[in-house]
Amino acid sequence: MGMYDTITHKMKCPKCNKKFEFSEQVKWTNACLLYDYKVGDKIDADDGEYDWATWVRPELKINCPNCNEEIHYKVIVKDGILTGISVI
């Protein structure tokens, strides 16, 4: 089993407008040592917009725990900082 990092974020569902927190496993960094990243954290990944998690799960998507809406999103890294998470 391989190592990974995790991103954790609070999101508002675009369908039901309820807020919830989620965590997603990712393999973007050189380390992948079970780090838990949140918006504002320094992250050892290239700058850009990430809309994939790993080669096993090619899309970043979750289901709202309130209404089960499938939500696709991307993570934005700028200047080595996880600056935001936005719905696609």
Side-chain angles (χ1 to χ4, degrees):
M1 181 173 171
M3 299 291 279
Y4 56 87
D5 293 323
T6 303
I7 55 169
T8 301
H9 186 66
K10 290 183 180 175
M11 178 181 287
K12 184 171 147 181
C13 175
K15 182 178 179 183
C16 71
N17 289 319
K18 293 185 180 177
K19 291 186 178 182
F20 62 95
E21 185 172 86
F22 71 92
S23 292
E24 180 79 48
Q25 293 179 5
V26 296
K27 286 192 174 194
W28 303 330
T29 69
N30 294 326
C32 287
L33 295 173
L34 303 175
Y35 292 142
D36 184 25
Y37 296 105
K38 294 177 178 55
V39 171
D41 288 345
K42 182 172 174 28
I43 183 169
D44 184 26
D46 293 334
D47 286 1
E49 296 181 356
Y50 290 83
D51 58 2
W52 53 275
T54 69
W55 64 274
V56 176
R57 290 177 296 110
E59 295 179 282
L60 286 173
K61 61 182 178 180
I62 53 172
N63 287 77
C64 173
N66 302 298
C67 70
N68 205 36
E69 175 77 1
E70 185 172 88
I71 304 168
H72 294 254
Y73 66 96
K74 63 184 173 184
V75 175
I76 302 158
V77 177
K78 185 174 180 183
D79 297 328
I81 304 293
L82 197 162
T83 59
I85 294 177
S86 63
V87 174
I88 298 174

